[in-house]
Amino acid sequence: CCRPEAGNIAMIGVLGLQGDFEAHGKKLEQAGSDTQIVKKPEQLDLLDGLIIPGGESTTLIKLMDLYEFWEPLRTFAVQGKPILGTCAGMILLAREVLNPSQKSLGLIDVAVERNSYGRQRESFEATGRFIAKGHATELEMIFIRAPRIHRLGTGVDALAFYEDDCVLARQGHILVASFHPELTGNLSVHRYFLDMTL
Ligand code: GLN
């Protein structure tokens, strides 16, 4: 029901159906929140924010069907609670999915193309730029068969870039990343997300 009161620690869930949810939990704890792995929709009621991790979006879709997560996740978002989607999580949050087209929550007005980075190489690490509060810093980014953002809607802010591509985008309380911020030593994306829950 409630937002954390000043001084209280936020409780952030990590959707634990498939993929690399454990690494996100560790990062959140390092960034100063409580965390729980979310396996059932009822758990969403207890959370101040949620991370949908990377993995395989087609598998996640099947498991979200099986455990009936679609409507509870939409309700969670309508309540204004922040959601961070990384890689496959971004694909699930996007309004439009290409290569191929598939169903999604449609909570952020971007079009994403699946498996658009690293076709030759499964994964790669690169240095990009993270721009928060008008200040740019370098950020290590790991891409694993990652989706590329092709279109940003008018209400969407670009917060990080790899070469000329936006790889971290925000619309209101929804944040999405093409890369895996949970796999590097840097906490800035998780810290930024925790600030969104305050
Ligand atoms: N290629 C995966 C997909 O399309 C995403 C990969 C990832 O999350 N690391 O769902």
Side-chain angles (χ1 to χ4, degrees):
C1 76
C2 318
R3 288 310 181 88
E5 314 233 323
N8 279 7
I9 295 175
M11 172 60 80
I12 309 295
V14 185
L15 190 65
L17 298 177
Q18 189 252 353
D20 61 342
F21 48 86
E22 305 278 357
H24 273 297
K26 289 199 186 103
K27 283 276 158 183
L28 285 168
E29 278 166 21
Q30 286 166 11
S33 77
D34 282 338
T35 68
Q36 60 173 273
I37 303 298
V38 176
K39 302 260 186 198
K40 292 182 181 153
E42 305 86 86
Q43 288 174 266
L44 295 173
D45 296 339
L46 307 170
L47 305 178
D48 303 304
L50 178 74
I51 295 182
I52 305 181
E56 192 55 48
S57 56
T58 49
T59 307
L60 277 163
I61 286 172
K62 285 185 196 136
L63 293 170
M64 283 164 60
D65 287 341
L66 184 66
Y67 294 103
E68 300 184 350
F69 262 101
W70 293 88
E71 275 321 302
L73 282 174
R74 287 203 175 93
T75 304
F76 188 83
V78 166
Q79 290 167 345
K81 292 189 178 176
I83 307 178
L84 164 63
T86 59
C87 206
M90 167 164 106
I91 296 169
L92 287 166
L93 289 167
R95 174 138 328 151
E96 192 184 353
V97 181
L98 311 164
N99 187 33
S101 159
Q102 63 188 29
K103 82 170 166 178
S104 59
L105 290 158
L107 294 172
I108 181 165
D109 188 13
V110 294
V112 301
E113 181 190 358
R114 292 180 58 208
N115 301 315
S116 177
Y117 295 102
R119 221 170 246 142
Q120 288 86 1
R121 294 169 292 165
E122 270 282 285
S123 66
F124 64 97
E125 194 166 341
T127 304
R129 280 171 298 126
F130 177 44
I131 301 157
K133 296 175 188 155
H135 184 71
T137 48
E138 287 195 343
L139 185 62
E140 287 307 305
M141 299 172 175
I142 293 179
F143 295 85
I144 305 172
R145 289 176 299 111
R148 188 188 302 257
I149 300 176
H150 275 288
R151 180 185 62 76
L152 289 173
T154 47
V156 183
D157 291 326
L159 297 176
F161 294 87
Y162 162 59
E163 296 182 340
D164 291 334
D165 290 341
C166 168
V167 291
L168 180 70
R170 174 178 179 176
Q171 183 172 26
H173 55 288
I174 307 294
L175 182 67
V176 293
S178 295
F179 59 98
H180 286 264
E182 77 284 11
L183 297 181
T184 54
N186 191 297
L187 285 177
S188 46
V189 174
H190 289 84
R191 284 210 178 104
Y192 182 91
F193 179 61
L194 277 191
D195 282 350
M196 287 169 58
T197 67
L198 298 177

